[in-house]
Amino acid sequence: MVQQRLLDIAIREFGLKGIEGASTRAIAAAAGTAMSSITYHYGGKEGLYLAAADHIAVQMGQQMAHAVGIGALPETPGEARGIIHRILATFAAKMAGDATKDWSLFIVREQMNPTEAFERIYGGPMGQMMERLVELVGIATGRRDADAARVATITLFGQVIVIRASRASCLKLLQRASIDAEALSALQARIAANTDAILDRLIAERQDFS
Amino acid sequence: MVQQRLLDIAIREFGLKGIEGASTRAIAAAAGTAMSSITYHYGGKEGLYLAAADHIAVQMGQQMAHAVGIGALPETPGEARGIIHRILATFAAKMAGDATKDWSLFIVREQMNPTEAFERIYGGPMGQMMERLVELVGIATGRRDADAARVATITLFGQVIVIRASRASCLKLLQRASIDAEALSALQARIAANTDAILDRLIAERQDFS
DNA sequence: GTCTATACTACGATAGAC
DNA sequence: GTCTATCGTAGTATAGAC
């Protein structure tokens, strides 16, 4: 389908060059269609940009839905911890793989310089995942202090997105040419162990206060 | 100085739009000079791009030099741990502040899509900081296993760069409009506690093997 | 060193053929 | 729904005045 190709290429081009820097002509040519079809389908460059953001949100939702879970929240700290591990391991695998490469730069640009497109992405599966993590951290650590869970969630998340946002540095540190299965396993194991250590520390901090 | 303004604006524009998407005309106009002065000073667009990368490397080196330290490596695990804390806290403050905003997107783009410019940045202060962290983690945990220290360094680093690379998500999670002093303190405290927990876990893992 | 002038290519938007 | 044609603007590079 033409529209599918158009969106995939738009995500890549907008990610690389931003909404101003990208060229609708180049996007249309790469998709094998005329530039005016962008006007027809999306009303223009800005419409295509927002449609690309929506497309990212849909893909992310599909890929993370199973790991994040949609049912009720777990009741025991152990269950919550297990789901945290599952979300982070799944997300790490996505960050390591090639499938998320194109939309990562798109999202990072929006993270640093948010437009309406960020609301569309965060308002969907991304925000759900983040808020879910906050709740799970709260349950896993028995904390009623939501702010502490929010700060901790940021650092847990950081351990995973560094795989993508600092890809070249990671490869230098790992002395590899790509994040292969072995490197991914090592990272996932480290993230899991770190997460346990951090959650245990949060529980210990809670007991210090009481 | 004209060249200084030119480089600062080039970093911002190249960061936002990439080398292809950015316009030398717009960069020159914003710097208050003619476009042909870019040709004169840097030979063209590509030369300006590489000069911008070098400029980032110089700035980063200046800002991180004191925290990273230049002397001999510490000999005790406790000293090493203290320096790790100092580096991460300083880097977190830089990531939270506005001064690093412009070159962050430039670097992230290079991280995801490296060119010669990445070698110039990583070959300088950035690589030094990362390799230094690896050595410090090794000393702090008493590990002779360098690969484990490298993987751990990536996750430690991720806790800090998330402040910049996922800025908008962090603000959503913290329910704030900006990373103010209070939020930065909370993040630094969390990162420090997490780092201690992670290093302790690495020490415990080492003892499991012996 | 910094400027203007110019040559040539590419940009987004739009109108209209089919 | 997809195409071509065209308009006005903006892109890089380069030559040359001062």
Side-chain angles (χ1 to χ4, degrees):
Chain A
M1 195 172 179
V2 175
Q3 301 208 28
Q4 187 77 21
R5 267 207 318 272
L6 221 36
L7 287 176
D8 287 338
I9 293 162
I11 288 166
R12 175 165 50 97
E13 289 297 304
F14 282 134
L16 284 168
K17 302 171 191 172
I19 187 166
E20 279 188 299
S23 148
T24 55
R25 258 184 159 85
I27 292 168
T33 185
M35 194 221 68
S36 50
S37 67
I38 289 173
T39 312
Y40 178 78
H41 285 296
Y42 306 104
K45 200 194 230 194
E46 194 164 342
L48 178 60
Y49 188 79
L50 294 175
D54 290 338
H55 193 54
I56 289 172
V58 169
Q59 287 183 319
M60 196 189 298
Q62 287 170 349
Q63 295 192 25
M64 292 303 300
H66 182 258
V68 174
I70 38 172
L73 284 165
E75 294 187 4
T76 70
E79 282 176 315
R81 189 179 285 226
I83 299 172
I84 292 170
H85 279 136
R86 189 178 70 196
I87 293 174
L88 294 180
T90 302
F91 202 56
K94 296 295 174 195
M95 290 292 99
D98 287 340
T100 57
K101 189 191 175 193
D102 286 339
W103 42 271
S104 293
L105 198 48
F106 189 110
I107 294 175
V108 170
R109 173 193 309 285
E110 286 290 329
Q111 293 272 12
M112 296 201 202
N113 235 296
T115 70
E116 187 193 331
F118 181 74
E119 299 298 328
R120 299 209 181 189
I121 296 171
Y122 195 87
M126 187 164 191
Q128 279 172 26
M129 178 175 73
M130 301 301 275
E131 290 295 334
R132 186 88 173 179
L133 275 173
V134 169
E135 290 168 344
L136 291 167
V137 168
I139 295 168
T141 60
R143 281 199 167 219
R144 316 228 116 249
D145 179 7
D147 281 349
R150 290 179 175 278
V151 175
T153 298
I154 289 172
T155 60
L156 291 178
F157 187 66
Q159 295 185 87
V160 179
I161 62 128
V162 67
I163 299 170
R164 182 103 258 160
S166 299
R167 170 63 58 101
S169 293
C170 289
L171 295 176
K172 292 268 191 192
L173 280 176
L174 296 173
Q175 299 165 316
R176 275 163 202 263
S178 70
I179 308 273
D180 52 21
E182 192 186 7
L184 173 60
S185 290
L187 284 164
Q188 284 174 319
R190 185 73 264 143
I191 290 165
N194 289 358
T195 301
D196 276 333
I198 291 166
L199 293 175
D200 289 343
R201 168 72 60 132
L202 281 163
I203 293 169
E205 287 171 8
R206 176 178 58 90
Q207 288 165 345
D208 288 345
F209 278 107
S210 61
Chain B
M1 195 174 179
V2 175
Q3 301 206 29
Q4 188 77 21
R5 266 207 318 272
L6 221 36
L7 286 176
D8 286 338
I9 293 162
I11 289 166
R12 176 165 50 96
E13 289 297 304
F14 283 135
L16 284 169
K17 302 171 191 171
I19 186 165
E20 280 188 297
S23 146
T24 55
R25 211 176 267 273
I27 292 168
T33 184
M35 193 224 70
S36 51
S37 67
I38 289 173
T39 312
Y40 178 77
H41 285 297
Y42 307 104
K45 198 195 236 194
E46 194 163 344
L48 179 61
Y49 187 80
L50 294 176
D54 289 338
H55 193 54
I56 289 173
V58 169
Q59 287 183 319
M60 197 190 296
Q62 288 171 348
Q63 296 192 24
M64 292 303 298
H66 181 258
V68 174
I70 39 171
L73 284 165
E75 294 187 2
T76 71
E79 283 177 314
R81 188 179 287 227
I83 299 172
I84 293 170
H85 279 137
R86 189 178 70 197
I87 293 174
L88 294 181
T90 303
F91 202 55
K94 296 294 173 193
M95 290 293 98
D98 286 341
T100 56
K101 189 191 175 192
D102 287 340
W103 40 272
S104 294
L105 198 48
F106 190 110
I107 294 175
V108 169
R109 174 194 308 285
E110 286 290 330
Q111 293 272 13
M112 295 200 203
N113 235 296
T115 71
E116 187 192 332
F118 181 75
E119 299 299 327
R120 300 209 181 189
I121 296 172
Y122 194 88
M126 188 164 190
Q128 279 171 28
M129 179 175 74
M130 301 300 274
E131 290 296 335
R132 186 90 174 176
L133 275 173
V134 169
E135 290 167 343
L136 291 167
V137 168
I139 295 168
T141 59
R143 281 201 167 217
R144 315 229 114 249
D145 179 6
D147 281 349
R150 291 179 176 278
V151 174
T153 298
I154 290 172
T155 60
L156 292 178
F157 187 65
Q159 294 185 87
V160 179
I161 61 127
V162 67
I163 299 170
R164 184 102 259 160
S166 299
R167 170 62 59 101
S169 294
C170 289
L171 294 176
K172 293 268 191 190
L173 279 176
L174 296 173
Q175 298 166 316
R176 276 162 201 263
S178 70
I179 308 274
D180 53 22
E182 192 185 7
L184 173 60
S185 290
L187 283 165
Q188 285 174 320
R190 184 73 263 141
I191 290 166
N194 289 359
T195 301
D196 276 334
I198 291 167
L199 293 175
D200 289 343
R201 167 72 60 133
L202 281 163
I203 294 169
E205 287 172 9
R206 177 177 58 89
Q207 289 165 344
D208 287 346
F209 277 107
S210 61

